């Protein structure tokens, strides 16, 4: 469900659900990406967008499969655009996602689910983002290609 797969290959949540089931059957670790675009953010429907992505893409899984999933929140509007989500915006969405999991699977599963942040994390914002209580780490893109930047992000954890 990475944003580029959703955009360039028109992968929708129903297809992502099928791919997730197949990956789990093959004993692969699934990192399921979700997130909203700039227009959805501006229209203030970003919670609805992410809720729909998770509901259709993941929440049909039984608990024994869901606990194997890693979720990555990627605000698409903050990837490669020069815009950056604030730590508070990242926390707000991570909290929202964790609460959706809690409602569906219970508090124990919600607390144990890894939720990564994947929206232009870089050395200058990593420590603040990773300090948020519901952000469990990062899905690092472009910054992983620069050794110094990547090492600085790792050290921020």
């Amino acid at each position: 469900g990475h944003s580029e797969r959703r955009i360039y290959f028109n992968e929708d949540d129903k297809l992502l659900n099928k791919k997730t089931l197949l990956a789990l059957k093959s004993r692969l670790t699934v990192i399921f990406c979700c997130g909203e675009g700039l227009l959805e953010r501006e229209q203030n429907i970003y919670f609805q967008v992410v809720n729909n992505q998770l509901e259709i893409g993941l929440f049909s899984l039984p608990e024994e499969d869901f606990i194997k999933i890693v979720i990555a929140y990627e605000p698409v509007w903050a990837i490669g655009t020069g815009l950056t989500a604030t730590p508070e915006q990242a926390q707000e969405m991570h909290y929202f996602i964790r609460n959706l999991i809690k409602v569906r699977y219970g508090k124990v599963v919600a607390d144990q689910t890894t939720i990564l942040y994947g929206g232009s994390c870089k050395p200058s914002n990593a420590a603040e983002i990773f300090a948020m209580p519901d952000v469990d780490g990062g899905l690092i893109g472009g910054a992983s290609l620069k050794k110094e930047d990547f090492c600085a992000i790792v050290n921020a954890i």
Side-chain angles (χ1 to χ4, degrees):
H2 189 272
S3 61
E4 291 174 352
R5 299 288 309 181
R6 289 177 184 268
I7 294 167
Y8 300 127
F9 296 97
N10 297 314
E11 292 187 357
D12 65 14
D13 298 310
K14 288 180 183 179
L15 175 63
L16 297 176
N17 179 266
K18 290 177 184 178
K19 289 176 73 172
T20 297
L21 292 170
L22 183 60
L24 289 170
K25 185 177 179 182
S26 300
R27 290 185 258 167
L28 297 172
T29 299
V30 174
I31 300 175
F32 188 91
C33 298
C34 58
E36 77 283 2
L38 182 59
L39 185 59
E40 295 158 330
R41 173 61 65 164
E42 290 173 342
Q43 291 176 343
N44 204 30
I45 60 169
Y46 48 96
F47 289 129
Q48 179 183 346
V49 169
V50 170
N51 178 67
N52 291 344
Q53 290 171 343
L54 295 174
E55 189 66 42
I56 297 167
L58 289 182
F59 286 171
S60 65
L61 296 175
E63 183 177 320
E64 62 268 15
D65 285 336
F66 183 83
I67 61 174
K68 301 170 189 170
I69 302 291
V70 173
I71 296 175
Y73 168 61
E74 49 172 0
V76 181
W77 54 271
I79 300 172
T81 63
L83 300 173
T84 305
T86 66
E88 293 77 20
Q89 288 171 317
Q91 168 58 23
E92 176 185 51
M93 185 58 81
H94 281 240
Y95 174 82
F96 175 76
I97 292 168
R98 198 169 305 281
N99 194 57
L100 291 175
I101 297 166
K102 180 180 173 184
V103 168
R104 176 76 170 114
Y105 295 101
K107 182 176 178 2
V108 172
V109 172
D111 289 345
Q112 292 176 350
T113 299
T114 299
I115 307 174
L116 305 175
Y117 176 75
S120 292
C121 190
K122 47 193 162 206
S124 61
N125 64 9
E128 286 183 290
I129 290 172
F130 296 154
M132 295 289 112
D134 288 298
V135 177
D136 298 318
L139 182 68
I140 311 304
S144 69
L145 301 175
K146 300 175 184 171
K147 182 177 104 175
E148 295 79 18
D149 288 354
F150 188 66
C151 288
I153 291 169
V154 169
N155 289 331
I157 297 175

